Amino acid sequence: MASFSRDTVAGRLAEAGYIADAELASPLAIQWMLQRPLLIEGEAGVGKTEVAKALAAVHDTELIRLQCYEGLDQSAALYEWNYQRQLLAIEAHKGSSDPERIEDEVFSERYLLERPLLAAIRRQTPPVLLIDEIDRADEEFEAFLLELLSDWQVSIPELGTVKAEAIPHVLLTSNGTRELSDALRRRCLYHYLDYPDVEREARIIMARIPRAGATLSLQIARMIEAIRKEDLRKVPGVAETLDWAAALVGLEVENLHDQPEIVHETLMCLLKTREDSARMARAVTDRLLGKVA
């Protein structure tokens, strides 16, 4: 396996469109080298999921994503049988003199539906396995996941034990809605991903919105920084920043100070609740805009 330095990872992430700081590039390089899971925590919208997408592009490998949610169980994450096809096969062989052969057939690979975790350990080339928002899953699923991350094998009663062809490179994300177990944290490397600073957010805008010039990108990043300091229910994330930048570019805004009306009208790209929209009255927008150089 090739080794990657912090600077190499940061450079390749930038080529893939993800602008990372040294604090993120270092754990990603170590995670890839040690083949240890990396837990990335942070507020919603800071770009945690995008890290996995960019990392898969950097290493030219497949990205397999497991989206966690309340009530997620092993079958939805690991594997299921294609019951409809199995019933059709049983019906087609009804009256057969060899029922054991039919049973062996319907519980074969042909009828197995891979879910993300099983798919990840059966790839010959190690993929990036993104376990997204692990804090939304319950503690029972977390315990199962911890066992899988330790052994890298699963038991399918009808087929036997499936061992990993290659160890996936695992990234877990958490928004902090539930406290994760100490056992899971000990198993993982850790990084807290915060909102980008003004300079890095401006670089992100220029990388993702080609027509956004340096001046406009810096103004947008400064305005976003000011908005995030307001008392909002939902602080805008990087995705909202990019939506707003794309809207401003599409409306041919080159300088925020030249068209304050459009600046205020397009804040709908950033504000996601009725209360936040009410708080960002025109007077507030003008006040914040006045602080933007």
Side-chain angles (χ1 to χ4, degrees), residues 32-267:
W32 195 268
M33 177 178 64
L34 298 182
Q35 294 184 311
R36 290 280 300 280
L38 172 63
L39 171 62
I40 302 178
E41 282 192 313
E43 298 292 332
V46 296
K48 301 185 295 297
T49 301
E50 293 299 317
V51 173
K53 296 178 181 178
L55 192 65
V58 165
H59 296 289
D60 191 24
T61 192
E62 181 182 3
L63 172 65
I64 298 176
R65 178 179 179 178
L66 173 64
Q67 177 62 54
C68 298
Y69 54 86
E70 186 177 354
L72 175 65
D73 59 15
Q74 294 185 27
S75 62
L78 198 57
Y79 72 92
E80 291 180 288
W81 292 105
N82 191 329
Y83 297 117
Q84 291 183 329
R85 288 193 62 198
Q86 286 177 320
L87 290 173
L88 289 173
I90 292 170
E91 186 66 26
H93 292 85
K94 185 177 290 185
S96 171
S97 59
D98 192 356
E100 290 186 1
R101 185 182 64 82
I102 299 173
E103 181 179 352
D104 290 341
E105 179 181 341
V106 298
F107 286 106
S108 64
E109 284 278 351
R110 291 179 56 195
Y111 299 88
L112 186 68
L113 299 176
E114 280 188 342
R115 297 310 183 203
L117 296 183
L118 181 61
I121 68 173
R122 299 217 299 178
R123 296 295 190 265
Q124 293 185 349
T125 300
V128 170
L129 172 61
L130 170 62
I131 303 173
D132 215 4
E133 298 183 314
I134 181 59
D135 53 316
R136 293 187 180 275
D138 55 32
E139 295 178 0
E140 289 77 10
F141 181 80
E142 186 182 321
F144 156 73
L145 182 63
L146 185 62
E147 181 180 355
L148 176 65
L149 295 179
S150 298
D151 298 338
W152 289 117
Q153 64 180 34
V154 296
S155 177
I156 302 177
E158 299 83 359
L159 298 178
T161 299
V162 179
K163 296 183 179 180
E165 296 284 340
I167 304 300
H169 301 283
V170 183
L171 269 68
L172 302 93
T173 72
S174 170
N175 296 332
T177 60
R178 174 180 67 82
E179 182 59 38
L180 303 177
S181 70
D182 290 342
L184 183 63
R185 289 184 180 276
R186 286 195 300 269
R187 183 71 182 80
C188 301
L189 302 174
Y190 179 82
H191 178 71
Y192 185 86
L193 188 62
D194 207 344
Y195 292 106
D197 58 26
V198 168
E199 181 181 349
R200 187 157 70 90
E201 194 148 20
R203 291 173 59 206
I204 292 170
I205 295 168
M206 288 188 288
R208 295 295 187 93
I209 314 295
R211 292 170 54 201
T215 299
L216 178 62
S217 297
L218 191 56
Q219 287 182 335
I220 291 172
R222 287 171 175 163
M223 187 68 174
I224 289 289
E225 181 186 47
I227 290 173
R228 286 180 180 142
K229 293 178 181 178
E230 294 295 302
D231 184 21
L232 300 177
R233 281 189 58 190
K234 186 183 185 306
V235 177
V238 177
E240 285 80 18
T241 298
L242 295 175
D243 285 343
W244 191 40
L248 292 170
V249 169
L251 293 169
E252 300 182 350
V253 175
E254 297 181 357
N255 188 304
L256 297 186
H257 296 287
D258 293 341
Q259 295 173 283
E261 298 87 357
I262 293 180
V263 170
H264 180 69
E265 291 170 1
T266 53
L267 290 182

